[in-house]
Amino acid sequence: MPRPALRLTYTRPGDETAVEFINVHLKSKLLEFPGGRFSPKDESERATVAQFALQRRAAEAVTIREHASDLLQADRHVVVLGDFNDGPQAATTEILYGPIGSQPDGPESSRQGNVAFHRSDKDDGARLFNITLLVAPERRWSRRYAGQNELIDHILVSASLMPRRDGRFQVPEVEIQNEDAPVRWEQPVVDGIEPDHAPVVVRFV
């Protein structure tokens, strides 16, 4: 992990419930070529370096998933969040989901009880659910790059953090604060660097 993940165990005051947070920043899609170059000598070099970048991000995702799986097998509440540097359907992101299937499709997944997301499944205990997908499509982006909106910042949670009631998950409130993205922070710029990602916020109610 060239950029180490941060693991934090939080126990709520007055409650023995502990939640394990793993914050990640996976390899970006920015390609870096030998000698510090950001431009390739030819298309062969570009393709090769792109493959290495993808392999590194995939290896990082596998590493994080292994840690998350260990925690889930120990019946811990787990949240994996941060900059995944890829979209929700990317192969590297889906590695972190665990067993395939049952991810939310959109905000309607929180309201409709007959969708796959709400159906009980034997693999639910091993899954991490991308609750960022509960945000409305027009707001479902955290970064604007080359004129395009991208969702590359995600929050994945274990099923244990969404207890079932009447057979349905009790989903949290999720929002992406991108009204004036790319910069919404109010604190001063540090070292001349302005954040270019919008905050993703979740409230478990």
Side-chain angles (χ1 to χ4, degrees), residues 10-18:
Y10 173 75
T11 303
R12 290 184 301 196
D15 188 339
E16 295 304 314
T17 302

Side-chain angles (χ1 to χ4, degrees), residues 3 25-33 37-38 46-47 49-58 60 83-93 143 145-146 148-154 197:
R3 288 190 284 216
H25 188 183
L26 302 186
K27 172 70 179 78
S28 74
K29 288 179 278 190
L30 177 67
L31 302 184
E32 305 166 46
F33 300 93
R37 291 179 288 114
F38 290 97
R46 182 199 62 78
V49 171
Q51 176 194 11
F52 291 156
L54 179 59
Q55 287 176 328
R56 178 178 141 187
R57 189 162 63 255
E60 292 171 348
D83 180 358
F84 290 28
N85 265 311
D86 225 333
Q89 281 79 44
T92 52
T93 306
R143 180 175 181 254
Y145 178 72
Q148 300 295 316
N149 294 336
E150 300 180 326
L151 178 60
I152 61 176
D153 302 273
H154 306 278
H197 295 239

